[in-house]
Structures are given as structure tokens and as C-alpha cells.
């Protein structure tokens, strides 16, 4: 798999999941793939972390207590105006109506748990290509 890890300016990725073990494992995988990964145990913490880190990618669980993934993505896209942050929905309950709701809320990508490594690698490579492309 052709993952190019740029350690000069790595992709910043926020992972928010109330299953802290799952979030930590994904963060460790992201770091092995050359990213800087940050975890949040809930939606409120995710909003604060995105505001502080300004990530290139946010991978958000939908079903978090208090502030859910729908609310987090809306905050990212509207209130934080982080429109260049690719928002990935990661949920164990991806049905057609949930996928539609996620897209309407502002998610760019919707993945079912368990996520496939190829999905992650494709998204990372896509973001890296976008960052290398000349502005214009």
C-alpha cells in the first residue's frame, strides 16, 4: 500500500469516540501512517479539539452521549467554519436513512464500523494529494 508519510507537515486528524479504546487504537494506526492524531472522548471535547488543532480530517462517531456526531459536524462546518476539514462519520449503525442524515448534516464520508484499512488509506492519500496541489 503506497502510503506516503510526510513527517515535515503531517496530516492532523481528530478522532472522537466515546469508546476510548477504539479511539486510541485508531489514533495509533493514524500515527503509524504518518499523521498527528488527537482523540476526544465525547462530542463537546471534539468541538474544542477541532477548534484548537484545526485538523485536516475529523473522524467522528455518531452515537456519543450529550453532543452527538451530527452536532459535532454541524459545529465544525458552521460555527467553526472549518470547511476544509474532511468530516468522516464512523458508526456501527449505517443504514440508508442514517447515511442520508449524515450527509445532510455535513459529513463528507460515511463509514460503517468496523472500518476497513483501505478506506482510511484512501482518505489519507486523497487529503495529502489535495495539500500538495497548487492553490488556485
Amino acid at each position: 500500500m503506497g502510503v506516503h508519510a510526510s513527517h515535515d507537515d503531517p496530516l492532523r486528524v481528530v478522532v472522537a469516540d466515546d469508546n476510548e479504546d477504539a479511539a486510541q487504537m485508531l489514533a495509533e494506526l493514524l500515527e503509524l501512517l504518518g499523521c498527528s492524531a488527537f482523540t476526544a472522548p465525547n462530542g463537546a471535547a471534539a468541538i474544542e479539539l477541532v477548534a484548537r488543532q484545526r485538523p485536516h480530517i475529523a473522524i467522528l462517531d455518531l452515537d456519543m452521549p450529550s453532543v452527538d456526531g451530527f452536532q459535532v459536524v454541524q459545529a465544525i462546518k458552521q460555527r467553526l467554519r472549518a470547511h476544509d476539514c474532511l468530516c468522516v462519520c464512523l458508526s456501527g449503525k449505517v443504514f440508508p436513512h442514517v447515511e442520508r442524515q449524515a450527509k445532510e448534516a455535513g459529513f463528507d464520508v460515511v463509514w460503517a464500523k468496523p472500518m476497513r484499512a483501505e478506506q482510511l488509506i484512501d482518505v489519507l492519500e486523497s487529503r495529502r494529494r489535495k495539500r500538495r496541489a497548487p492553490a488556485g
Side-chain angles (χ1 to χ4, degrees), residues 52-67:
R52 197 170 54 249
Q53 295 298 333
R54 306 305 278 183
H56 301 99
I57 301 170
I59 302 174
L60 310 169
D61 182 28
L62 275 187
D63 297 321
M64 294 183 283
S66 182
V67 178

Side-chain angles (χ1 to χ4, degrees), residues 62 70 89 93-105 107 109-111:
L62 275 187
F70 292 113
C89 166
K93 300 175 184 170
V94 177
F95 303 106
H97 73 280
V98 173
E99 186 169 359
R100 185 177 59 254
Q101 288 174 325
K103 292 282 190 169
E104 289 171 358
F107 280 101
V109 179
V110 179
W111 291 339

Side-chain angles (χ1 to χ4, degrees), residues 65-114:
S66 182
V67 178
D68 66 19
F70 292 113
Q71 294 166 304
V72 175
V73 77
Q74 289 171 341
I76 291 171
K77 298 288 184 165
Q78 296 168 4
R79 193 173 72 208
L80 299 178
R81 301 207 193 303
H83 297 286
D84 197 41
C85 178
L86 181 84
C87 293
V88 177
C89 166
L90 184 59
S91 178
K93 300 175 184 170
V94 177
F95 303 106
H97 73 280
V98 173
E99 186 169 359
R100 185 177 59 254
Q101 288 174 325
K103 292 282 190 169
E104 289 171 358
F107 280 101
D108 301 295
V109 179
V110 179
W111 291 339
K113 289 181 180 179

